[in-house]
Amino acid sequence: GVHEIVKSAFDDYRLDLNLISRNKKFSEVLKIIEKDIFKAYQKFEDKNKNSVYTIFNSSMLYETGWHNKMDTNITVYAPFIDRVERGKSVLKGQYHDRTTINTLLSSEMDELSKNGKADHVIHNYNEFNTQKQVMDIDQIIIDNYIKYHYEN
């Protein structure tokens, strides 16, 4: 049942990504904790209610269908090796082995499919000016906020 799935995903009260990836339980665990994740995010939004927007960072946004709960979706399109390195950095050295990172990345939706679902795509390759793309998207979101909140 639910208790066994959650119990099998944690080791000493910490989410153990090795257990999740080995047992293919990641999507099941996300379904179980989804309500708590969004409750925590709502608290974060409430605390930052004077901000034009907040960012919900998730590598599983599209796979879980959570993108449907967002006002705007931005995808970063990057080379696979960069995504592996970013994964290592996000996991703060807990899981350095390539197998775990590759398993987690392979559970993600294909990059081109993600791009097709996104409202905006940031191309994070050497030949693209990433900072300009981010600034342009930021301005679009701010313009839409002003239009929605002040012009209606």
Side-chain angles (χ1 to χ4, degrees), residues 6-27 29-30 33 59-60 86-105 107-108:
V6 172
K7 190 175 177 184
S8 71
F10 287 85
D11 180 36
D12 194 29
Y13 300 100
R14 289 183 53 224
L15 188 60
D16 187 329
L17 295 177
N18 284 320
L19 287 174
I20 291 172
S21 64
R22 187 171 52 241
N23 298 333
K24 308 284 188 222
K25 301 279 185 195
F26 193 53
S27 61
V29 170
L30 287 178
I33 64 174
S59 63
M60 299 298 287
R86 193 171 355 145
K88 284 182 186 177
S89 138
V90 167
L91 295 173
K92 294 178 180 44
Q94 292 175 325
Y95 306 97
H96 281 291
D97 66 287
R98 259 190 165 15
T99 305
T100 301
I101 303 262
N102 286 342
T103 301
L104 291 170
L105 286 173
S107 68
E108 292 182 12

Side-chain angles (χ1 to χ4, degrees), residues 7-67:
K7 190 175 177 184
S8 71
F10 287 85
D11 180 36
D12 194 29
Y13 300 100
R14 289 183 53 224
L15 188 60
D16 187 329
L17 295 177
N18 284 320
L19 287 174
I20 291 172
S21 64
R22 187 171 52 241
N23 298 333
K24 308 284 188 222
K25 301 279 185 195
F26 193 53
S27 61
E28 292 178 54
V29 170
L30 287 178
K31 285 178 192 168
I32 293 166
I33 64 174
E34 177 177 353
K35 189 184 281 187
D36 293 321
I37 289 172
F38 280 97
K39 204 182 294 184
Y41 185 61
Q42 186 59 55
K43 284 182 184 178
F44 176 78
E45 282 191 315
D46 293 345
K47 190 188 295 188
N48 294 283
K49 65 181 172 222
N50 292 328
S51 298
V52 171
Y53 62 88
T54 57
I55 297 173
F56 182 91
N57 185 0
S58 172
S59 63
M60 299 298 287
L61 190 69
Y62 300 104
E63 294 80 354
T64 57
W66 294 349
H67 66 287

Side-chain angles (χ1 to χ4, degrees), residues 68-79:
N68 295 315
K69 297 180 180 202
M70 304 297 151
D71 296 325
T72 301
N73 293 291
I74 303 168
T75 299
V76 177
Y77 190 59

Side-chain angles (χ1 to χ4, degrees), residues 122-133:
I122 297 169
H123 294 273
N124 193 12
Y125 287 83
N126 292 339
E127 66 269 13
F128 291 98
N129 184 339
T130 306
Q131 184 176 7
K132 181 178 179 343
Q133 292 175 77

Side-chain angles (χ1 to χ4, degrees), residues 2 5 81 101 117:
V2 170
I5 292 170
I81 191 67
I101 303 262
K117 292 178 179 283

